[in-house]
Amino acid sequence: MPDLPASHRLRTGRYAEPNRIYLLTTNTLDREPIFADFALGRLVVHQFRRAQDLGLAKSLAWVVMPDHFHWLVELENCSLRKLMRQTKSLITRAVNLSRSRGGPLWQQGFHDRALRREDDLVKLARYVVANPLRAGLVEKLGDYPLWDAIWV
């Protein structure tokens, strides 16, 4: 096997299956807390909604943390690689334009976990949206503005 960076080795042989549910996570470059700014966090939310409107993936639950996001999706007419590349690229463009800055916003790659059909989706969605509570950013979930789930 060629000596590839770890993020590439993780995806060797990985097959993105339409109608499969995935938990996707990606971090900002150097874990910079860009999305502590609510307005910038809303730019991420806009891209999640755009991906759904385009029929790329159905958003089941998500949370935008200051330096990363978790996105529970049902993949539709797209590969994981294309979905994440397009989403991260459009978020970067919007953030850079908004802040009059240039350069990269994200660490390379992303983490994905394919869920088995028997996995408890509601339980996983609760775990995703409870991230701000576990991180100590808020005392009540309703106090954190950048999350959603179809079950709520």
Side-chain angles (χ1 to χ4, degrees), residues 80-98:
L80 287 175
R81 183 177 177 177
K82 178 181 175 188
L83 175 66
M84 288 300 283
R85 182 178 12 192
Q86 184 173 332
T87 300
K88 288 169 61 174
S89 174
L90 291 171
I91 293 167
T92 299
R93 186 177 302 145
V95 167
N96 285 349
L97 184 63
S98 172

Side-chain angles (χ1 to χ4, degrees), residues 49-117:
R49 292 195 172 129
R50 182 182 178 279
Q52 182 160 316
D53 291 345
L54 293 174
L56 304 177
K58 180 180 177 185
S59 292
L60 304 176
W62 51 262
V63 65
V64 180
M65 299 293 285
D67 61 357
H68 67 281
F69 68 72
H70 300 283
W71 190 16
L72 185 62
V73 300
E74 182 175 352
L75 197 60
E76 292 183 333
N77 297 311
C78 190
S79 69
L80 287 175
R81 183 177 177 177
K82 178 181 175 188
L83 175 66
M84 288 300 283
R85 182 178 12 192
Q86 184 173 332
T87 300
K88 288 169 61 174
S89 174
L90 291 171
I91 293 167
T92 299
R93 186 177 302 145
V95 167
N96 285 349
L97 184 63
S98 172
R99 289 184 118 196
S100 299
R101 71 183 284 270
L105 178 65
W106 303 102
Q107 289 181 4
Q108 287 188 343
F110 59 93
H111 181 267
D112 61 279
R113 175 181 163 213
L115 276 64
R116 295 186 304 267
R117 294 294 179 206

Side-chain angles (χ1 to χ4, degrees), residues 48 85 102 125-126:
F48 291 167
R85 182 178 12 192
R126 285 186 184 131

